Amino acid sequence: MSIRVRIALLSAALATLVLLAISAGVYYWFQRSTRQETDVHLRQLSQTVATQGVIMQNGQLGLRVLSGSPFSYASGIYIQTTDLSGNGQDNSPDLNQFLPINQQILGATLNGHNVFFTTTFLDSPVRVISVPVAAIAGSTRPVGTLQVAESLLPVQHTIEKLRLFLFGGLGVGLLLTALGAFVISGRSLRPLEQITRTAREIGGSGDLSQRIEPPRTGDEVQDLAETFNTMLERLEDAFMAERRFVSDASHELRTPLTALRGNAEILLRQLESGDLESGDAAEVLVDIRDESERMGRLVQSLLTLARADVGWRPALETLALDQVAEDVARVAAPLAAQHHFTVNVHDEVDVLGNADQLKQLLLILLDNAFAYTPAGSEVSLTVRQVADTAEMVVADNGPGIPPDELDHIFDRFYRGDVARTRRAVGAGLGLAIARWIVDCHHAEVSVQSTEHQGTIITVRLPAVSGAEPDDQREVEPLAAVGATTI
């Protein structure tokens, strides 16, 4: 069952409840109102008859016709008198038999009460009032009772017409409500149908560039259309990034694999011809080792980014950032053999982080500084506390980064003109991993670079607890055996 049909049915069901409640209220109010009007009329008529139309003849009650009187015995009005035993004494001219009086009603009437009751008389329902009659005006001792009855047939006919009108109106109202809801919901759901068609077209063609024209209605349907367009845009970006990633990864892996296969074939041909020389074999094996290490670093970087893409995050704990910087200084020492490398720790500061990931972050930034700056350049690592923030600053006085490349240096597989000119061995994944580590630590990274003057990369992390600023101390970078970088 479609949403449109369900909306029409639900609207009809709701309208049914509302109209039934209104109809029941109107029916009950009208029935009660007519009953009250009948009782008021009977009370007024009984008072008039009791004071003007009842006579005593030879000790028996009787009625006299008061021509031109207010009650004047209208059609459907029945009047009679009864004695103390409830037996009829006299009645109006058009009443050819007496109304039976229940003993309980008779007793209540003789006790001075006006009693209303409904009964069937002459095959029709009548409303009756029974009142006591005294021989002398103002006397509390009744000598009989007076009953004034009015036929309820006109009232019943009116109520039946009202009931027919209410039920007929209910049916027409339900039909109009269902049709109106069906038409209105169809117009309201038209954007949803467009979304469905667009989704089917995208699913069939795979073209994520298609968009929906949101209706300018300012309601939830417009929000849905705009959200769907935003989702399509993000999906398009994600698929394009995935395609670029696969293309770039395959390109980066193809180069070392080709080199490995070529060197292996050279070594095999020399073995088969018996012309293998130890010097040539050593060179081939060195090339194989270097390409294997390069491919290993690339695969490790791809695995790191793959884990990041599926939402993996490192566990964070409170640690001393100055100690992390000192450890990095010792590990990075072999990379800085041709540069002037200094590490300055201004403050002892604790942060919430992962020591291994922060070390990797600093090694990536330092490795880039060493790789892209000429020999003899200055590279520095600074750790300091500024208010409630811990800063790690890597600076160099190298060639700098062109302004049009600053927005792309953290993209995967991106390598600027300087990297391509210097034939850097990296695959362009280091800074992408660095950006992911920064995000994992809820930190910020900023880059300031001027061509031919140098680059400054600053990472800011929230400080857990600040220590009093200590005198600046310079950490001597010590060589570390087996140091590796990405």
Side-chain angles (χ1 to χ4, degrees), residues 189-393:
L189 295 175
R190 193 169 300 162
L192 297 181
E193 296 176 356
Q194 183 182 0
I195 293 175
T196 302
R197 288 195 301 270
T198 304
R200 287 176 179 170
E201 292 175 0
I202 293 174
S205 63
D207 181 13
L208 293 174
S209 62
Q210 299 185 58
R211 297 294 183 269
I212 296 173
E213 183 64 28
R216 303 303 175 187
T217 54
D219 55 11
E220 292 81 358
V221 176
Q222 180 180 349
D223 293 339
L224 176 61
E226 293 175 350
T227 302
F228 188 78
N229 285 338
T230 302
M231 182 191 67
L232 287 177
E233 183 177 355
R234 295 185 63 182
L235 285 175
E236 184 180 12
D237 293 340
F239 279 119
M240 293 299 295
E242 181 183 359
R243 290 174 182 174
R244 287 194 302 268
F245 181 84
V246 172
S247 176
D248 294 338
S250 61
H251 174 75
E252 294 294 336
L253 287 172
R254 188 183 300 115
T255 301
L257 288 174
T258 302
L260 287 174
R261 187 174 65 178
N263 285 305
E265 289 177 352
I266 292 174
L267 190 59
L268 284 174
R269 283 198 299 268
Q270 290 181 355
L271 285 174
E272 292 173 355
S273 62
D275 295 334
L276 180 62
E277 296 181 2
S278 59
D280 294 338
E283 291 179 0
V284 171
L285 291 176
V286 168
D287 290 341
I288 292 176
R289 181 198 64 189
D290 293 342
E291 293 298 331
S292 298
E293 290 178 354
R294 177 186 173 188
M295 189 167 61
R297 291 193 299 269
L298 176 59
V299 171
Q300 182 62 39
S301 298
L302 292 175
L303 290 176
T304 300
L305 292 175
R307 296 174 68 187
D309 289 340
V310 298
W312 180 84
R313 294 293 184 270
L316 306 182
E317 60 182 1
T318 303
L319 52 86
L321 189 60
D322 52 302
Q323 185 62 49
V324 172
E326 294 175 4
D327 295 340
V328 170
R330 288 190 290 271
V331 175
L335 304 175
Q338 298 179 356
H339 296 77
H340 298 293
F341 178 41
T342 57
V343 179
N344 302 313
V345 179
H346 291 269
D347 304 301
E348 294 179 354
V349 56
D350 292 341
V351 297
L352 188 65
N354 183 279
D356 293 335
Q357 298 297 328
L358 290 177
K359 290 178 183 178
Q360 185 180 13
L361 168 63
L362 291 177
L363 286 172
I364 291 172
L365 299 180
L366 290 172
D367 183 49
N368 280 346
F370 296 144
Y372 300 135
T373 56
S377 300
E378 294 183 359
V379 177
S380 65
L381 169 62
T382 303
V383 175
R384 62 194 177 199
Q385 182 174 356
V386 180
D388 296 332
T389 303
E391 292 186 352
M392 301 184 298
V393 183

Side-chain angles (χ1 to χ4, degrees), residues 97-176:
Q97 67 183 63
F98 289 99
L99 282 166
I101 305 300
N102 186 281
Q103 291 297 321
Q104 185 177 0
I105 296 175
L106 180 63
T109 304
L110 293 176
N111 287 333
H113 299 289
N114 296 336
V115 181
F116 287 94
F117 63 96
T118 302
T119 184
T120 301
F121 182 67
L122 300 178
D123 298 328
S124 66
V126 293
R127 185 68 172 168
V128 183
I129 183 174
S130 178
V131 299
V133 177
I136 302 175
S139 173
T140 58
R141 182 178 179 182
V143 295
T145 63
L146 170 68
Q147 288 78 41
V148 180
E150 182 175 357
S151 175
L152 294 179
L153 282 178
V155 174
Q156 281 191 343
H157 291 160
T158 303
I159 291 177
E160 289 177 358
K161 292 179 180 178
L162 175 64
R163 185 164 57 240
L164 180 62
F165 173 78
L166 290 177
F167 278 106
L170 176 63
V172 174
L174 292 181
L175 181 60
L176 293 178

